[in-house]
Amino acid sequence: MLTFDKIKEFLYNYDGEPVTLMEVCGTHTSVIAKSGIKSLLSDKIKLVSGPGCPVCVTVSSYIDKLCELSLQENTVVVTFGDMMRVKGSERSLNDMMAAGGKVKLIYSPLELLKLAKENKNTTFIFAAVGFETTTPIYAMLIRQAIEKNIHNIKLLSSLKTMPEAIDWICRQNHQLTGFIAPGHVCAITGSDMLVPFAEKYHTPLVVAGFSSEQVLSAVYMLTKLKKTGKVINLYRSAVEESPNMEAKTLVDEFFESGPACWRGLGTIEQSGLYLKGKYSEFDAGSRGLTEDVGYNNACRCSDVITGKISPHECALFGKACTPQNPQGACMVSEEGSCHSYFTS
Amino acid sequence: MKITAAHGSGGKSTSELIENIFAKHFSNPLLDSMEDSTVLPSMDGKIAITTDSFVVTPLFFKGGDIGKLSICGTVNDLLMRGAIPRYVTCGFIIETGTESETLDQIARSMAESAKQAGVLIIAGDTKVINGNGGVYINTTGVGTVPNERDISIYNCKAGDAVLLSGTLGDHHAAILSERMGIKNDIQSDCTVLNEAVDILLKNNIRIKAMRDVTRGGLATILNEIAVASNVSIEIEEGQIPVSSPVKSLCGILGLDPLYMGNEGKFVAVIDVQDKEKAIELLQSTEPGKNAAIIGKIKTGDKLLLKTSIGGTRIVHVLQGEGLPRIC
């Protein structure tokens, strides 16, 4: 019988053809770092991180726009913590706060409703970042704002969708043996979303949950399945083959697809989500933020999130660029691959 | 009654505020003389002093309030150096708009915790600033350390055992739940640690170092011990106690208990031969009922975590603000 100990033994002693696997979800990156999974793998199994950390794929023009908005009269930029320290072309929201910009950190989008209701003369601009998993919450926020007659909330959307990015990676990087597919995203999209990529690129994709055992099991299966176009779902408790219709209906009511610019990947058609025309009063000018000027020219975040290099191959890693003083987005977020490498 | 600027004038309203609230709850012969400074009787042993400011919001939370916290935090810092806590002073910065009942409740909590910790509140000050009902408290603690006692984070040696007095993350999780309006049963662990520390000292457990696991969490504190003593510390994930409601909240918010603040937990580095006895003693006390040996001191210069699936990783100090993940 295949036991977890046998899986560990196989992966530690693996001596076959070298394998490079990409985990696409930032939470997987974080689990891999936190559970010390790399210390349990043979040198022939390499794990690289993909563009699955929402903060890491945000382009500089988006951050610049938030910074600019934070200085506007009667305006407060509202954000989750990770976004605070990511630099745009020059400055981060943290820098703006020190320079008199109005920035407020929140833990949940729904906290914003209360804030907006209590401060009617202030416009709250919410830095809406995330993937399929987070989008329904933003849709819910706008729905509740309308129901409660709250009109001083706007989203600056950098919301993105994952299938287009996976397709882009498959086209660009032929070194990948397989993907640990994002469990949270698949819980919304359904695992069937992955089948076309598996077949088109002859690459296995294994959907995993977020326990270290699941991730390690996914690595094992991908090592066994290499070069087959199979999709396996290990996260059956949360992921079905078909999409979560409730979430899909909610998102479709408020958002429509459009081109989005990803740090390191460039503009990908239909990979962004923007509020539909009839809800435009809630949009803070999200479209067309395509410029991406790195804060530090030597930063290689874009190569890291496309799996071309490992974080330590960047000249800045651990020297000029540390979690205390990040030069690129991948070092900021706990889910960023540079941060995970540095802290494990 | 709401606090107004008049309460900070130094005149009649100030005296009334002090008399009706603070003097009433904190009364003791040293304080009651109301002179410009309190003259303490001479004390045996070395003197330990610590100071801390408390700015928590909300002011009241499950398991405590800012008043209780302001005594526990300072008393625990004294205990961590092996000091016997003796005296506390307190300074209040009160925003206008604060209800006097709120101050009364805070002062009552402080008096209760001070009694429990065996300390007298011997000096105090109040200032009123413009604002919206906020209260900030600074407390300074004084204790005495027997001359022969030396408990310090510079004392750890390879082979020593690392003990944690209970579950991680309760205070941090309780405050976050309160702020976010999440309904659960998580209570702050805010408490004075006299009973737990005393039982170890009275039974001659050879304690090398102690730290209370406050801001920055276990990971930060153990890193500081590793640097101070120039050693590595290896801890085992599976041995670190975390309650299941806190675990669930961490799962939802993407928080790591290793970096969460506590207000009634401490780490002790002890002689390895005393470890079974120390655990047994601690577990017999209320604040130490979930105590566990979580690791050991080794040669080197890192904090290492052996994960529950058998991996090993380096654990760094808290970077930034320790915020929830966003997807």
Side-chain angles (χ1 to χ4, degrees), chain A residues 108-163:
Chain A
S108 134
L110 301 178
E111 263 182 271
L112 184 53
L113 288 171
K114 192 165 166 255
L115 266 177
K117 205 172 168 193
E118 287 167 0
N119 302 278
K120 286 209 167 69
N121 296 323
T122 304
T123 302
F124 293 90
I125 311 281
F126 196 4
V129 299
F131 299 111
E132 284 88 340
T133 334
T134 333
T135 312
I137 304 170
Y138 294 107
M140 184 87 85
L141 173 73
I142 299 301
R143 188 166 79 182
Q144 292 199 8
I146 293 166
E147 280 167 9
K148 294 181 174 166
N149 202 20
I150 295 171
H151 295 277
N152 52 334
I153 289 176
K154 286 180 194 292
L155 302 183
L156 190 69
S157 171
S158 177
L159 295 166
K160 293 180 164 66
T161 49
M162 200 48 99

Short mmCIF file of all heavy atoms in Angstrom, two decimals, chain A residues 108-163:
data_model
loop_
_atom_site.label_atom_id
_atom_site.label_comp_id
_atom_site.label_asym_id
_atom_site.label_seq_id
_atom_site.Cartn_x
_atom_site.Cartn_y
_atom_site.Cartn_z
N SER A 108 -11.02 42.99 5.94
CA SER A 108 -12.06 42.35 5.16
C SER A 108 -12.78 43.42 4.34
O SER A 108 -13.04 44.51 4.84
CB SER A 108 -13.04 41.64 6.10
OG SER A 108 -14.36 41.93 5.73
N PRO A 109 -13.12 43.13 3.06
CA PRO A 109 -13.79 44.13 2.22
C PRO A 109 -15.08 44.65 2.87
O PRO A 109 -15.44 45.80 2.67
CB PRO A 109 -14.12 43.36 0.94
CG PRO A 109 -13.18 42.23 0.90
CD PRO A 109 -12.88 41.88 2.33
N LEU A 110 -15.73 43.82 3.66
CA LEU A 110 -17.02 44.25 4.20
C LEU A 110 -16.87 45.30 5.32
O LEU A 110 -17.81 46.03 5.64
CB LEU A 110 -17.83 43.04 4.65
CG LEU A 110 -18.11 42.06 3.49
CD1 LEU A 110 -18.87 40.84 3.98
CD2 LEU A 110 -18.86 42.69 2.32
N GLU A 111 -15.65 45.38 5.90
CA GLU A 111 -15.37 46.44 6.87
C GLU A 111 -15.56 47.80 6.23
O GLU A 111 -15.88 48.79 6.88
CB GLU A 111 -13.89 46.37 7.27
CG GLU A 111 -13.56 45.64 8.55
CD GLU A 111 -12.06 45.72 8.79
OE1 GLU A 111 -11.35 44.82 8.31
OE2 GLU A 111 -11.60 46.69 9.42
N LEU A 112 -15.30 47.83 4.93
CA LEU A 112 -15.35 49.07 4.18
C LEU A 112 -16.75 49.70 4.18
O LEU A 112 -16.88 50.92 4.23
CB LEU A 112 -14.90 48.77 2.75
CG LEU A 112 -14.78 49.93 1.78
CD1 LEU A 112 -13.91 51.03 2.35
CD2 LEU A 112 -14.18 49.44 0.48
N LEU A 113 -17.78 48.85 4.15
CA LEU A 113 -19.15 49.37 4.12
C LEU A 113 -19.42 50.24 5.34
O LEU A 113 -20.01 51.32 5.24
CB LEU A 113 -20.15 48.21 4.10
CG LEU A 113 -20.23 47.43 2.79
CD1 LEU A 113 -21.09 46.20 2.98
CD2 LEU A 113 -20.80 48.31 1.68
N LYS A 114 -18.93 49.77 6.48
CA LYS A 114 -19.15 50.49 7.73
C LYS A 114 -18.43 51.84 7.66
O LYS A 114 -19.00 52.88 7.98
CB LYS A 114 -18.61 49.62 8.88
CG LYS A 114 -19.01 50.08 10.23
CD LYS A 114 -18.74 48.98 11.28
CE LYS A 114 -18.82 49.58 12.67
NZ LYS A 114 -17.54 49.78 13.31
N LEU A 115 -17.17 51.77 7.22
CA LEU A 115 -16.38 53.00 7.10
C LEU A 115 -17.07 54.02 6.21
O LEU A 115 -17.16 55.20 6.54
CB LEU A 115 -15.04 52.66 6.46
CG LEU A 115 -13.85 52.36 7.35
CD1 LEU A 115 -12.66 51.98 6.48
CD2 LEU A 115 -13.51 53.57 8.21
N ALA A 116 -17.55 53.54 5.06
CA ALA A 116 -18.14 54.43 4.07
C ALA A 116 -19.42 55.05 4.60
O ALA A 116 -19.71 56.22 4.37
CB ALA A 116 -18.40 53.67 2.78
N LYS A 117 -20.17 54.26 5.34
CA LYS A 117 -21.44 54.74 5.89
C LYS A 117 -21.20 55.83 6.94
O LYS A 117 -21.92 56.81 7.02
CB LYS A 117 -22.17 53.55 6.51
CG LYS A 117 -23.65 53.74 6.57
CD LYS A 117 -24.34 52.47 7.01
CE LYS A 117 -25.78 52.80 7.35
NZ LYS A 117 -26.42 51.72 8.05
N GLU A 118 -20.13 55.62 7.73
CA GLU A 118 -19.84 56.57 8.81
C GLU A 118 -19.15 57.84 8.32
O GLU A 118 -19.07 58.82 9.05
CB GLU A 118 -18.97 55.89 9.88
CG GLU A 118 -19.74 54.87 10.70
CD GLU A 118 -18.84 53.97 11.54
OE1 GLU A 118 -17.61 54.12 11.48
OE2 GLU A 118 -19.39 53.10 12.23
N ASN A 119 -18.56 57.80 7.14
CA ASN A 119 -17.82 58.96 6.62
C ASN A 119 -18.30 59.29 5.21
O ASN A 119 -17.62 59.06 4.22
CB ASN A 119 -16.31 58.67 6.59
CG ASN A 119 -15.78 58.29 7.97
OD1 ASN A 119 -15.50 59.15 8.78
ND2 ASN A 119 -15.67 56.99 8.22
N LYS A 120 -19.48 59.88 5.16
CA LYS A 120 -20.16 60.06 3.87
C LYS A 120 -19.46 61.03 2.93
O LYS A 120 -19.62 60.96 1.72
CB LYS A 120 -21.60 60.53 4.11
CG LYS A 120 -22.49 59.39 4.63
CD LYS A 120 -23.94 59.60 4.20
CE LYS A 120 -24.79 58.37 4.41
NZ LYS A 120 -25.02 58.02 5.80
N ASN A 121 -18.65 61.94 3.50
CA ASN A 121 -18.01 62.94 2.64
C ASN A 121 -16.65 62.49 2.12
O ASN A 121 -15.94 63.25 1.46
CB ASN A 121 -17.87 64.27 3.38
CG ASN A 121 -19.23 64.84 3.71
OD1 ASN A 121 -20.17 64.71 2.90
ND2 ASN A 121 -19.37 65.42 4.89
N THR A 122 -16.28 61.27 2.45
CA THR A 122 -15.00 60.75 1.99
C THR A 122 -15.24 59.67 0.94
O THR A 122 -16.15 58.85 1.10
CB THR A 122 -14.23 60.12 3.18
OG1 THR A 122 -14.12 61.11 4.19
CG2 THR A 122 -12.85 59.64 2.78
N THR A 123 -14.44 59.69 -0.13
CA THR A 123 -14.52 58.60 -1.11
C THR A 123 -13.46 57.57 -0.75
O THR A 123 -12.29 57.91 -0.57
CB THR A 123 -14.27 59.14 -2.53
OG1 THR A 123 -15.24 60.14 -2.79
CG2 THR A 123 -14.38 58.03 -3.57
N PHE A 124 -13.87 56.33 -0.64
CA PHE A 124 -12.94 55.25 -0.31
C PHE A 124 -12.59 54.47 -1.58
O PHE A 124 -13.48 53.91 -2.23
CB PHE A 124 -13.55 54.32 0.74
CG PHE A 124 -13.72 54.98 2.07
CD1 PHE A 124 -14.89 55.66 2.39
CD2 PHE A 124 -12.69 54.96 3.00
CE1 PHE A 124 -15.04 56.29 3.62
CE2 PHE A 124 -12.82 55.59 4.24
CZ PHE A 124 -14.00 56.26 4.54
N ILE A 125 -11.31 54.46 -1.92
CA ILE A 125 -10.87 53.73 -3.10
C ILE A 125 -10.28 52.40 -2.64
O ILE A 125 -9.28 52.38 -1.92
CB ILE A 125 -9.75 54.50 -3.85
CG1 ILE A 125 -10.11 55.96 -4.06
CG2 ILE A 125 -9.37 53.77 -5.13
CD1 ILE A 125 -11.06 56.24 -5.17
N PHE A 126 -10.89 51.32 -3.02
CA PHE A 126 -10.42 50.02 -2.56
C PHE A 126 -9.48 49.40 -3.60
O PHE A 126 -9.84 49.25 -4.76
CB PHE A 126 -11.63 49.11 -2.34
CG PHE A 126 -11.32 47.88 -1.52
CD1 PHE A 126 -10.07 47.68 -0.96
CD2 PHE A 126 -12.30 46.93 -1.30
CE1 PHE A 126 -9.80 46.56 -0.20
CE2 PHE A 126 -12.05 45.80 -0.54
CZ PHE A 126 -10.80 45.61 0.01
N ALA A 127 -8.28 49.07 -3.16
CA ALA A 127 -7.32 48.40 -4.04
C ALA A 127 -7.75 46.95 -4.19
O ALA A 127 -7.42 46.09 -3.38
CB ALA A 127 -5.92 48.47 -3.43
N ALA A 128 -8.53 46.68 -5.24
CA ALA A 128 -9.10 45.35 -5.42
C ALA A 128 -8.13 44.47 -6.20
O ALA A 128 -8.02 44.59 -7.41
CB ALA A 128 -10.43 45.45 -6.15
N VAL A 129 -7.40 43.63 -5.49
CA VAL A 129 -6.50 42.69 -6.16
C VAL A 129 -6.91 41.27 -5.80
O VAL A 129 -7.52 41.04 -4.77
CB VAL A 129 -5.02 42.92 -5.77
CG1 VAL A 129 -4.57 44.31 -6.16
CG2 VAL A 129 -4.79 42.67 -4.30
N GLY A 130 -6.55 40.33 -6.66
CA GLY A 130 -6.86 38.94 -6.36
C GLY A 130 -7.25 38.19 -7.62
O GLY A 130 -7.26 38.75 -8.72
N PHE A 131 -7.57 36.92 -7.42
CA PHE A 131 -7.96 36.06 -8.53
C PHE A 131 -9.42 35.62 -8.36
O PHE A 131 -10.14 36.19 -7.56
CB PHE A 131 -7.01 34.86 -8.61
CG PHE A 131 -5.59 35.26 -8.83
CD1 PHE A 131 -4.63 35.09 -7.84
CD2 PHE A 131 -5.20 35.83 -10.04
CE1 PHE A 131 -3.31 35.47 -8.06
CE2 PHE A 131 -3.89 36.21 -10.26
CZ PHE A 131 -2.94 36.02 -9.26
N GLU A 132 -9.77 34.54 -9.02
CA GLU A 132 -11.16 34.06 -9.00
C GLU A 132 -11.71 33.91 -7.59
O GLU A 132 -12.90 34.13 -7.34
CB GLU A 132 -11.25 32.69 -9.70
CG GLU A 132 -11.20 32.74 -11.21
CD GLU A 132 -9.78 32.70 -11.76
OE1 GLU A 132 -8.83 33.02 -11.01
OE2 GLU A 132 -9.61 32.37 -12.94
N THR A 133 -10.85 33.53 -6.66
CA THR A 133 -11.29 33.26 -5.30
C THR A 133 -11.78 34.52 -4.60
O THR A 133 -12.71 34.48 -3.80
CB THR A 133 -10.11 32.72 -4.46
OG1 THR A 133 -9.19 32.11 -5.34
CG2 THR A 133 -10.58 31.80 -3.41
N THR A 134 -11.14 35.64 -4.87
CA THR A 134 -11.43 36.87 -4.15
C THR A 134 -12.54 37.68 -4.83
O THR A 134 -13.26 38.43 -4.16
CB THR A 134 -10.16 37.76 -4.08
OG1 THR A 134 -9.03 36.91 -4.14
CG2 THR A 134 -10.13 38.55 -2.82
N THR A 135 -12.66 37.51 -6.15
CA THR A 135 -13.60 38.36 -6.91
C THR A 135 -15.03 38.32 -6.38
O THR A 135 -15.68 39.38 -6.29
CB THR A 135 -13.56 37.99 -8.40
OG1 THR A 135 -12.19 37.93 -8.78
CG2 THR A 135 -14.25 39.02 -9.24
N PRO A 136 -15.59 37.15 -6.01
CA PRO A 136 -16.97 37.17 -5.51
C PRO A 136 -17.16 38.09 -4.31
O PRO A 136 -18.24 38.68 -4.14
CB PRO A 136 -17.23 35.71 -5.11
CG PRO A 136 -16.25 34.91 -5.91
CD PRO A 136 -15.05 35.78 -6.09
N ILE A 137 -16.12 38.25 -3.50
CA ILE A 137 -16.25 39.12 -2.31
C ILE A 137 -16.40 40.58 -2.75
O ILE A 137 -17.16 41.34 -2.17
CB ILE A 137 -15.02 38.98 -1.38
CG1 ILE A 137 -14.84 37.50 -1.00
CG2 ILE A 137 -15.18 39.83 -0.13
CD1 ILE A 137 -13.54 37.21 -0.29
N TYR A 138 -15.66 40.95 -3.80
CA TYR A 138 -15.78 42.32 -4.31
C TYR A 138 -17.17 42.54 -4.94
O TYR A 138 -17.78 43.61 -4.78
CB TYR A 138 -14.69 42.63 -5.34
CG TYR A 138 -13.30 42.63 -4.74
CD1 TYR A 138 -12.41 41.60 -4.98
CD2 TYR A 138 -12.90 43.68 -3.90
CE1 TYR A 138 -11.15 41.60 -4.42
CE2 TYR A 138 -11.64 43.68 -3.34
CZ TYR A 138 -10.76 42.64 -3.60
OH TYR A 138 -9.52 42.64 -3.04
N ALA A 139 -17.65 41.51 -5.63
CA ALA A 139 -18.99 41.61 -6.22
C ALA A 139 -20.03 41.79 -5.11
O ALA A 139 -20.93 42.64 -5.19
CB ALA A 139 -19.28 40.36 -7.03
N MET A 140 -19.86 41.02 -4.05
CA MET A 140 -20.76 41.11 -2.90
C MET A 140 -20.72 42.50 -2.28
O MET A 140 -21.75 43.05 -1.88
CB MET A 140 -20.30 40.06 -1.87
CG MET A 140 -21.15 39.94 -0.67
SD MET A 140 -22.46 38.79 -0.99
CE MET A 140 -21.60 37.27 -0.61
N LEU A 141 -19.51 43.05 -2.21
CA LEU A 141 -19.33 44.38 -1.62
C LEU A 141 -20.14 45.42 -2.41
O LEU A 141 -20.86 46.23 -1.83
CB LEU A 141 -17.84 44.75 -1.64
CG LEU A 141 -17.47 46.17 -1.22
CD1 LEU A 141 -17.64 46.33 0.29
CD2 LEU A 141 -16.03 46.51 -1.60
N ILE A 142 -20.02 45.37 -3.74
CA ILE A 142 -20.73 46.35 -4.56
C ILE A 142 -22.25 46.12 -4.44
O ILE A 142 -23.02 47.06 -4.31
CB ILE A 142 -20.28 46.27 -6.04
CG1 ILE A 142 -18.78 46.59 -6.14
CG2 ILE A 142 -21.08 47.22 -6.92
CD1 ILE A 142 -18.38 47.96 -5.63
N ARG A 143 -22.65 44.85 -4.41
CA ARG A 143 -24.08 44.57 -4.28
C ARG A 143 -24.62 45.16 -2.98
O ARG A 143 -25.66 45.81 -2.96
CB ARG A 143 -24.33 43.06 -4.34
CG ARG A 143 -25.81 42.74 -4.41
CD ARG A 143 -26.08 41.32 -4.80
NE ARG A 143 -25.91 40.44 -3.65
CZ ARG A 143 -26.04 39.12 -3.71
NH1 ARG A 143 -26.30 38.53 -4.86
NH2 ARG A 143 -25.90 38.40 -2.64
N GLN A 144 -23.87 44.95 -1.90
CA GLN A 144 -24.34 45.47 -0.60
C GLN A 144 -24.31 46.99 -0.57
O GLN A 144 -25.16 47.62 0.05
CB GLN A 144 -23.49 44.88 0.52
CG GLN A 144 -23.73 43.40 0.68
CD GLN A 144 -23.28 42.88 2.04
OE1 GLN A 144 -22.93 43.65 2.92
NE2 GLN A 144 -23.29 41.57 2.21
N ALA A 145 -23.29 47.58 -1.22
CA ALA A 145 -23.21 49.05 -1.26
C ALA A 145 -24.48 49.60 -1.93
O ALA A 145 -25.09 50.56 -1.43
CB ALA A 145 -21.97 49.50 -2.01
N ILE A 146 -24.88 48.96 -3.04
CA ILE A 146 -26.08 49.42 -3.75
C ILE A 146 -27.31 49.24 -2.86
O ILE A 146 -28.12 50.16 -2.70
CB ILE A 146 -26.24 48.67 -5.08
CG1 ILE A 146 -25.10 49.07 -6.02
CG2 ILE A 146 -27.60 48.97 -5.72
CD1 ILE A 146 -24.94 48.18 -7.24
N GLU A 147 -27.41 48.06 -2.23
CA GLU A 147 -28.57 47.79 -1.36
C GLU A 147 -28.67 48.80 -0.22
O GLU A 147 -29.75 49.20 0.19
CB GLU A 147 -28.47 46.38 -0.78
CG GLU A 147 -28.91 45.30 -1.75
CD GLU A 147 -28.50 43.90 -1.28
OE1 GLU A 147 -28.04 43.73 -0.13
OE2 GLU A 147 -28.64 42.98 -2.10
N LYS A 148 -27.50 49.20 0.31
CA LYS A 148 -27.50 50.10 1.47
C LYS A 148 -27.39 51.56 1.07
O LYS A 148 -27.14 52.41 1.91
CB LYS A 148 -26.35 49.72 2.41
CG LYS A 148 -26.55 48.35 3.02
CD LYS A 148 -25.45 47.98 3.97
CE LYS A 148 -25.83 46.66 4.64
NZ LYS A 148 -24.78 46.00 5.32
N ASN A 149 -27.48 51.79 -0.24
CA ASN A 149 -27.44 53.16 -0.75
C ASN A 149 -26.13 53.87 -0.37
O ASN A 149 -26.13 55.04 0.00
CB ASN A 149 -28.67 53.92 -0.23
CG ASN A 149 -28.98 55.11 -1.11
OD1 ASN A 149 -28.54 55.15 -2.27
ND2 ASN A 149 -29.68 56.09 -0.57
N ILE A 150 -25.04 53.15 -0.47
CA ILE A 150 -23.72 53.73 -0.18
C ILE A 150 -23.04 53.99 -1.53
O ILE A 150 -22.88 53.07 -2.33
CB ILE A 150 -22.88 52.77 0.69
CG1 ILE A 150 -23.53 52.60 2.05
CG2 ILE A 150 -21.44 53.25 0.83
CD1 ILE A 150 -22.93 51.53 2.93
N HIS A 151 -22.65 55.24 -1.76
CA HIS A 151 -22.10 55.56 -3.08
C HIS A 151 -20.69 56.14 -3.02
O HIS A 151 -20.18 56.61 -4.02
CB HIS A 151 -23.04 56.51 -3.82
CG HIS A 151 -24.36 55.86 -4.13
ND1 HIS A 151 -24.54 55.05 -5.22
CD2 HIS A 151 -25.52 55.86 -3.44
CE1 HIS A 151 -25.78 54.59 -5.21
NE2 HIS A 151 -26.40 55.06 -4.14
N ASN A 152 -20.07 56.11 -1.84
CA ASN A 152 -18.73 56.68 -1.73
C ASN A 152 -17.64 55.60 -1.65
O ASN A 152 -16.65 55.72 -0.95
CB ASN A 152 -18.64 57.64 -0.53
CG ASN A 152 -19.13 57.01 0.77
OD1 ASN A 152 -19.95 56.09 0.75
ND2 ASN A 152 -18.63 57.48 1.87
N ILE A 153 -17.89 54.48 -2.36
CA ILE A 153 -16.89 53.41 -2.47
C ILE A 153 -16.57 53.24 -3.95
O ILE A 153 -17.48 53.23 -4.78
CB ILE A 153 -17.46 52.08 -1.93
CG1 ILE A 153 -17.60 52.12 -0.41
CG2 ILE A 153 -16.58 50.90 -2.35
CD1 ILE A 153 -18.23 50.87 0.18
N LYS A 154 -15.28 53.12 -4.27
CA LYS A 154 -14.90 52.80 -5.65
C LYS A 154 -13.83 51.72 -5.62
O LYS A 154 -13.02 51.67 -4.69
CB LYS A 154 -14.32 54.03 -6.35
CG LYS A 154 -15.34 55.09 -6.74
CD LYS A 154 -14.64 56.24 -7.43
CE LYS A 154 -15.52 57.48 -7.53
NZ LYS A 154 -16.66 57.31 -8.43
N LEU A 155 -13.83 50.86 -6.62
CA LEU A 155 -12.78 49.85 -6.72
C LEU A 155 -11.75 50.30 -7.75
O LEU A 155 -12.10 50.79 -8.81
CB LEU A 155 -13.34 48.51 -7.21
CG LEU A 155 -14.45 47.83 -6.42
CD1 LEU A 155 -14.78 46.48 -7.07
CD2 LEU A 155 -14.05 47.62 -4.97
N LEU A 156 -10.45 50.14 -7.41
CA LEU A 156 -9.44 50.22 -8.45
C LEU A 156 -9.06 48.76 -8.70
O LEU A 156 -8.37 48.14 -7.91
CB LEU A 156 -8.23 51.05 -8.02
CG LEU A 156 -7.28 51.34 -9.18
CD1 LEU A 156 -7.93 52.31 -10.17
CD2 LEU A 156 -5.95 51.91 -8.71
N SER A 157 -9.61 48.23 -9.79
CA SER A 157 -9.52 46.78 -9.99
C SER A 157 -8.23 46.36 -10.68
O SER A 157 -7.85 46.88 -11.73
CB SER A 157 -10.70 46.30 -10.84
OG SER A 157 -10.49 44.94 -11.21
N SER A 158 -7.54 45.41 -10.02
CA SER A 158 -6.44 44.72 -10.68
C SER A 158 -6.76 43.23 -10.58
O SER A 158 -5.88 42.39 -10.44
CB SER A 158 -5.13 45.06 -9.99
OG SER A 158 -4.07 44.34 -10.58
N LEU A 159 -8.07 42.92 -10.62
CA LEU A 159 -8.51 41.53 -10.49
C LEU A 159 -8.14 40.76 -11.75
O LEU A 159 -8.28 41.28 -12.86
CB LEU A 159 -10.02 41.48 -10.24
CG LEU A 159 -10.45 42.10 -8.91
CD1 LEU A 159 -11.95 42.33 -8.88
CD2 LEU A 159 -10.02 41.21 -7.75
N LYS A 160 -7.68 39.54 -11.55
CA LYS A 160 -7.19 38.78 -12.70
C LYS A 160 -7.75 37.36 -12.69
O LYS A 160 -8.20 36.87 -11.65
CB LYS A 160 -5.67 38.73 -12.66
CG LYS A 160 -5.02 40.11 -12.88
CD LYS A 160 -3.52 40.02 -12.82
CE LYS A 160 -2.84 41.24 -13.41
NZ LYS A 160 -3.08 42.47 -12.64
N THR A 161 -7.71 36.73 -13.87
CA THR A 161 -8.18 35.35 -13.94
C THR A 161 -7.03 34.43 -14.35
O THR A 161 -6.16 34.80 -15.14
CB THR A 161 -9.34 35.22 -14.94
OG1 THR A 161 -8.99 35.87 -16.16
CG2 THR A 161 -10.60 35.86 -14.39
N MET A 162 -7.05 33.23 -13.78
CA MET A 162 -5.90 32.36 -13.86
C MET A 162 -5.74 31.55 -15.16
O MET A 162 -4.61 31.36 -15.63
CB MET A 162 -5.96 31.41 -12.64
CG MET A 162 -4.68 30.77 -12.26
SD MET A 162 -3.29 31.89 -12.17
CE MET A 162 -3.19 32.18 -10.43
N PRO A 163 -6.84 31.06 -15.79
CA PRO A 163 -6.63 30.19 -16.96
C PRO A 163 -5.77 30.84 -18.05
O PRO A 163 -4.87 30.19 -18.60
CB PRO A 163 -8.06 29.95 -17.49
CG PRO A 163 -8.93 30.15 -16.31
CD PRO A 163 -8.27 31.18 -15.45
#
